[in-house]
Amino acid sequence: MSAANSLMSEDQFLCSICLDVFTDPVTTSCGHNFCKNCITEHWNINESCQCPMCKETFTTKPDLRVNTLFSEMVVQFRQSTQQEVSSSSSEQQVSKPGEVPCDVCTGTKLKALKSCLVCLVSYCETHLEPHLTVLGLKRHQLIDPVENLEGRMCMKHDKPLELFCKTDHTCVCMLCTVLDHKTHDVVPLREEYDEKRAELRKTEDVIQQVIQKRRLKIEELKQSVKLSKENADREIAEGVQVFTSLKESVERGLDELIKTIEEKQKTTEKQTEVFIKELEQEISELLKRSTEVEQLSRSEDHLHFLQSFSSLDVPTTKDWTELSVPPASYEGTVVRAVAQLEETLSKEMKKLIEAELKRVQQYAVDVTLDPDTAHPNLILSDDGKQVNHGDVRKTLPDNPERFSFCICVLGKQSFSSGRFYFDVQVKGKTEWDFGVARESISRKGKITLGPKNGYWTIWLRNGNEYGASDDLVVSLSLKSQPQKVGVFVDYEEGLVSFYDVDAAALIYSFTGCSFTEKLFPYFCPCPNDGGKNSAPLIISAVNQTELMDDV
């Protein structure tokens, strides 16, 4: 700071009228200093001559005099300030495109540090100094630098927009509240700012909560993909193992088939070779005798001819007339080999289905029957686990959920995602239907089973006729009569599968289903048929302990 500035405070070099460093300072008779032009215009505008500082009133306009010592100090202060400004300007940043420039700087515009909402001017660090030191200017509201400060003025009344009309949701000036918004709910900008900022914080909290939920969902999806990948890898490994085993069985069966056929062929060839060898031996002997006969026939020695004739008769040979070597018979060889392969395949299939059944049983749910849906002829056990036909129609409320014609009942539990499994005991029954049904099925009048009508079921008729109610009725050929049937549903996969639990065999699967509603377990015990079908359908519990031991 300059020597002059070190003797007096900086405020004493500022004119209280223009709030800038004195220009041609003069002193009034009351001892206060002002810019000559400032005090002259002030008195010209006002009717009375009054000191702006101490409010002393003069009857006649005072004679303004120059305080030589003070004037020199002002000059020194200006010079010192200019040097500091020049030094500070070199350190401060020059305004770049897109940045708010200082409105006071002449020549090179420096970057504005603050904007004043009262002065409607943006200031660099140097020109901002009075707002930080002068008492009157300290009360001005400073904000981060912004352009177009005129936009903060009321276009109609040329006053600062310092109020907010909650009725019209707009910023207004003081005159607006008296004229255009007289009866409206008007609050200071600060109050509305605080309120809206509080709302913004709540919005931010909500946004952060949503973001957190989305992040959790992403992690959930990633985990799901990871589990899916693990399941896929496990299935591939099991598939490779099974198919490798089957391939080895096929190759082994083929080798054994070829070996059996080749051995038969070798046996035939060996037997034929023995016969051929014997025949060739006989031919050789016959050829030898033929030569002897021919030589004897050319002899003219009567004695020798007669003596040799008796020993040259036809040699004794086997009777080969009935001898034959038929081609080796291979009928049934391939069939038996394929049958053996089929047996091996059946064993592997049984192992696979046993493993699959144990996996789906992990999704076992507790299913109970819903009495509000039960046909009046049905009898439900107290625990909601058994149902059979009672032959007598009970008087029950005909609520919309109840089946009125077909003797059916739904489970209480519904499912609209994921996987679920339950067991149904059918021991002793000659007829039944069960599976799953969608929520919107018709409960009144005659119904037709099938996916198009919202039913995915299998059935038994006449004690041994099994079928599935698909888009077309599918007749099922089962190796054994199931005593307990497992029902598994994968909602997203669109799969409904039925298993013979005791035989560990797949009965039937509905695939490619499109589920868009809640699914309910569906049961129909069918009529008693004179007592032949009086046994109940029983929802049996799945042994979770056994499952855990097996998994």
Side-chain angles (χ1 to χ4, degrees):
M1 190 66 68
S2 64
N5 200 20
S6 65
L7 294 174
M8 301 179 68
S9 69
E10 188 174 335
D11 291 351
Q12 291 175 290
F13 293 103
L14 301 177
C15 173
S16 61
I17 297 176
C18 67
L19 302 177
D20 204 349
V21 180
F22 288 107
T23 302
D24 295 331
V26 293
T27 305
T28 61
S29 57
C30 58
H32 293 111
N33 298 306
F34 303 96
C35 296
K36 183 177 182 180
N37 187 52
C38 290
I39 191 62
T40 300
E41 288 186 2
H42 179 72
W43 282 342
N44 289 338
I45 294 172
N46 295 281
E47 297 179 356
S48 60
C49 294
Q50 189 181 56
C51 176
M53 293 291 290
C54 65
K55 307 303 181 183
E56 180 180 346
T57 303
F58 308 105
T59 54
T60 60
K61 185 178 294 187
D63 184 18
L64 298 174
R65 301 196 176 194
V66 176
N67 186 329
T68 306
L69 177 61
F70 184 73
S71 181
E72 291 177 356
M73 292 177 65
V74 169
V75 172
Q76 292 179 10
F77 179 78
R78 278 186 174 277
Q79 293 174 348
S80 174
T81 301
Q82 288 176 356
Q83 292 176 357
E84 291 178 1
V85 169
S86 176
S87 175
S88 176
S89 296
S90 63
E91 295 176 0
Q92 294 183 53
Q93 296 182 0
V94 176
S95 176
K96 299 177 182 177
E99 294 179 338
V100 180
C102 174
D103 294 327
V104 181
C105 288
T106 57
T108 301
K109 294 283 187 179
L110 298 180
K111 179 182 177 181
L113 188 64
K114 292 288 182 181
S115 294
C116 178
L117 295 181
V118 179
C119 304
L120 297 180
V121 175
S122 296
Y123 298 101
C124 64
E125 183 178 355
T126 300
H127 294 121
L128 181 65
E129 187 67 23
H131 279 75
L132 304 177
T133 56
V134 178
L135 183 61
L137 296 178
K138 284 183 177 181
R139 289 194 292 269
H140 290 191
Q141 185 177 356
L142 298 176
I143 61 172
D144 289 335
V146 293
E147 293 182 323
N148 190 25
L149 285 168
E150 292 78 7
R152 297 176 176 271
M153 301 293 290
C154 177
M155 299 293 292
K156 189 173 183 179
H157 305 111
D158 199 26
K159 297 290 183 182
L161 297 171
E162 51 189 356
L163 300 170
F164 184 80
C165 176
K166 298 174 75 70
T167 305
D168 293 340
H169 302 284
T170 185
C171 296
V172 297
C173 69
M174 190 64 70
L175 284 178
C176 289
T177 62
V178 179
L179 301 174
D180 302 329
H181 300 261
K182 187 175 182 180
T183 60
H184 293 182
D185 182 10
V186 179
V187 296
L189 283 180
R190 183 72 188 186
E191 180 179 331
E192 184 66 15
Y193 168 82
D194 291 339
E195 181 180 332
K196 287 295 187 286
R197 193 171 186 182
E199 291 181 9
L200 203 60
R201 281 195 293 269
K202 290 180 180 178
T203 302
E204 176 65 15
D205 291 341
V206 172
I207 291 173
Q208 290 301 324
Q209 291 175 7
V210 174
I211 290 173
Q212 184 62 23
K213 288 181 180 178
R214 297 300 179 269
R215 286 175 176 166
L216 291 174
K217 179 57 69 175
I218 290 173
E219 290 302 317
E220 179 184 331
L221 293 174
K222 287 182 179 178
Q223 185 64 21
S224 177
V225 170
K226 181 181 177 182
L227 292 176
S228 179
K229 180 66 165 57
E230 292 174 354
N231 291 339
D233 291 342
R234 184 178 63 250
E235 289 296 321
I236 290 173
E238 290 181 1
V240 169
Q241 181 180 355
V242 170
F243 276 89
T244 300
S245 177
L246 291 175
K247 180 182 176 182
E248 291 174 353
S249 296
V250 170
E251 291 175 347
R252 189 165 51 250
L254 179 60
D255 290 341
E256 290 176 358
L257 173 65
I258 293 173
K259 183 179 180 181
T260 300
I261 294 173
E262 288 178 344
E263 286 178 352
K264 278 190 175 185
Q265 178 62 21
K266 286 181 180 179
T267 300
T268 301
E269 289 177 357
K270 284 182 179 179
Q271 187 179 14
T272 303
E273 286 175 0
V274 171
F275 292 149
I276 291 173
K277 190 174 183 180
E278 288 185 27
L279 287 167
E280 287 177 343
Q281 182 66 35
E282 287 188 359
I283 290 171
S284 177
E285 291 179 359
L286 290 170
L287 286 173
K288 181 179 179 182
R289 182 59 56 89
S290 175
T291 301
E292 291 176 352
V293 170
E294 183 180 356
Q295 289 177 351
L296 183 61
S297 65
R298 291 198 298 267
S299 176
E300 295 181 358
D301 187 343
H302 300 160
L303 178 62
H304 174 71
F305 179 87
L306 293 174
Q307 288 176 342
S308 302
F309 180 80
S310 58
S311 61
L312 291 178
D313 56 345
V314 178
T316 303
T317 59
K318 287 183 179 181
D319 184 5
W320 299 93
T321 305
E322 302 298 328
L323 176 66
S324 65
V325 181
S329 175
Y330 303 110
E331 283 75 6
T333 305
V334 176
V335 173
R336 286 191 295 274
V338 173
Q340 183 64 38
L341 183 61
E342 184 180 9
E343 183 180 349
T344 303
L345 180 60
S346 296
K347 290 179 180 178
E348 292 295 332
M349 281 293 295
K350 185 174 178 61
K351 291 179 183 178
L352 285 175
I353 295 177
E354 285 177 349
E356 179 180 315
L357 184 56
K358 288 174 183 178
R359 281 199 297 271
V360 300
Q361 284 177 333
Q362 295 179 67
Y363 300 100
V365 294
D366 184 21
V367 173
T368 53
L369 301 171
D370 184 359
D372 291 336
T373 66
H375 185 276
N377 280 61
L378 294 180
I379 298 176
L380 276 59
S381 62
D382 293 338
D383 62 359
K385 295 292 186 179
Q386 301 185 29
V387 58
N388 64 303
H389 195 287
D391 285 332
V392 178
R393 187 180 182 92
K394 299 186 294 293
T395 302
L396 296 173
D398 188 19
N399 51 289
E401 294 80 16
R402 190 180 306 283
F403 289 93
S404 63
F405 183 81
C406 294
I407 44 179
C408 314
V409 62
L410 298 180
K412 283 185 178 180
Q413 294 73 22
S414 65
F415 305 90
S416 56
S417 64
R419 306 178 179 95
F420 63 94
Y421 173 92
F422 59 93
D423 280 339
V424 183
Q425 182 176 310
V426 296
K427 185 177 181 180
K429 294 193 66 61
T430 59
E431 292 189 10
W432 45 256
D433 305 321
F434 60 83
V436 292
R438 66 183 178 217
E439 186 177 25
S440 63
I441 56 171
S442 174
R443 319 281 178 100
K444 308 302 178 183
K446 188 176 181 179
I447 62 175
T448 302
L449 299 179
K452 291 181 179 178
N453 298 316
Y455 296 88
W456 293 266
T457 62
I458 61 173
W459 43 263
L460 169 66
R461 297 290 183 268
N462 301 321
N464 60 2
E465 298 174 8
Y466 294 92
S469 297
D470 211 325
D471 292 334
L472 296 175
V473 174
V474 179
S475 180
L476 303 176
S477 178
L478 306 184
K479 292 183 177 180
S480 61
Q481 289 191 326
Q483 303 299 303
K484 184 188 292 184
V485 177
V487 183
F488 172 70
V489 177
D490 187 329
Y491 194 96
E492 283 75 19
E493 189 68 21
L495 173 69
V496 182
S497 294
F498 297 86
Y499 298 88
D500 182 338
V501 176
D502 298 323
L506 177 65
I507 297 174
Y508 190 75
S509 286
F510 293 87
T511 59
C513 309
S514 179
F515 301 129
T516 57
E517 302 178 24
K518 292 179 180 178
L519 295 180
F520 290 83
Y522 164 86
F523 307 89
C524 176
C526 295
N528 279 341
D529 191 20
K532 295 179 182 179
N533 192 40
S534 61
L537 286 176
I538 302 174
I539 304 170
S540 57
V542 179
N543 193 332
Q544 296 290 344
T545 304
E546 182 179 342
L547 285 178
M548 293 305 295
D549 294 338
D550 291 334
V551 173

